[in-house]
Every structure is written in C-alpha cells, then in structure tokens.
Amino acid sequence: MAINIYLTFNGNCREAAEFYAEVFKTEKPEIMTFGESPQSPDFVLPAEAKDLVLHTRLNINGSNIMFSDTFPGSPFTEGNNISLAFVSNEEDTVKSAFNALKEGGKVSMDLQETFWSKCYGSLRDKFGIEWQFSHEPDQLPQ
C-alpha cells in the first residue's frame, strides 16, 4: 500500500488545491466542505467552518496528495502542516500499523468509525511524525 501525503491549510485549501491542479494539469479537485458533511445534533458547526475544505485529493503524477483546511480554532503552524496518511483495504493492517506507531507516541483520535471510513484514527509517533489511518475497502492493493 502507498503512503499518501496529507497537506493542511489555514483557510486557503480550495485555492491551493485548484492551483496545484492547474500547475500539474490534473482533473479539477472534488471538494467536500465541513458544511457538506453529516451534521451532529450534539455539535453546532460554526458559520466560519461551513465553506472550509474538509477533504479533497489530487493525483499528481501517480501520487495521491490529500488536502484539508484546519477547523477554526485548531492549531496551525505553517511548515508543520503535513501528515502521512496510511490507507488500506485491509482493516487489520490499519489496526496493526496504528497500534505499533502509537507506542511511545500520542494518539489524537483513536481508531473509530466515521462517516468516511469504517476505521479511522490519527496520532503523532514517537519521532514527532503525524499519521492518519483509514480503512477504505475500495482501495486497490499495490
């Protein structure tokens, strides 16, 4: 399985993704905003978050690059806004890698079901590298 690069922006993700699509002559990105995601009655989405990018991706010369904006109020440090995304069609592989990398690290979001993945989580490993893990059953094996 490939490791994907995940870039985070501070409100200008749409502009960046569209710019990179033009530069690298890819298809125009399909963009999902925070406002388009399923809403929870327990959490009111702030108005300033509705048009921010929750997720988009580009395939640049065979590499998947994923993008999002930070959620309003979340910390953002330019230059440290990159994480690695481990995506697999095998849930056990996702769990195994997550559990190994969390040793000595710090879990940001424990593995759990989300509206986009049956098994998603994130952590910072003991070397300070940010990781995201996602089970995607339609992911092609490599």
Side-chain angles (χ1 to χ4, degrees):
M1 296 293 147
I3 300 290
N4 297 313
I5 298 166
Y6 205 106
L7 304 175
T8 306
F9 294 84
N10 197 24
N12 59 345
C13 181
R14 180 183 302 272
E15 177 186 359
E18 289 174 351
F19 174 73
Y20 295 139
E22 186 177 312
V23 167
F24 294 105
K25 299 176 180 20
T26 69
E27 292 183 20
K28 187 173 176 167
E30 292 182 27
I31 294 176
M32 175 187 268
T33 65
F34 284 100
E36 294 170 326
S37 67
Q39 302 300 302
S40 167
D42 299 330
F43 177 77
V44 177
L45 187 68
E48 64 269 24
K50 290 185 178 173
D51 292 329
L52 294 176
V53 175
L54 172 65
H55 181 76
T56 190
R57 84 174 73 201
L58 295 174
N59 187 288
I60 298 174
N61 201 31
S63 295
N64 281 324
I65 312 295
M66 297 185 281
F67 305 79
S68 71
D69 279 312
T70 58
F71 195 78
S74 297
F76 176 85
T77 304
E78 192 170 303
N80 291 338
N81 50 328
I82 298 173
S83 62
L84 301 177
F86 181 79
V87 180
S88 175
N89 62 357
E90 297 178 14
E91 188 173 351
D92 288 341
T93 302
V94 170
K95 289 178 179 179
S96 175
F98 181 92
N99 289 328
L101 285 176
K102 79 177 183 181
E103 294 300 319
K106 182 177 181 195
V107 173
S108 308
M109 181 177 177
D110 217 346
L111 290 174
Q112 60 191 270
E113 187 169 344
T114 64
F115 72 89
W116 68 87
S117 175
K118 182 178 175 187
C119 183
Y120 175 86
S122 60
L123 58 82
R124 175 179 289 167
D125 72 18
K126 65 183 178 181
F127 302 105
I129 304 300
E130 297 286 340
W131 290 88
Q132 297 182 56
F133 298 83
S134 187
H135 171 252
E136 292 184 14
D138 296 334
Q139 181 76 17
L140 297 175
Q142 303 219 352

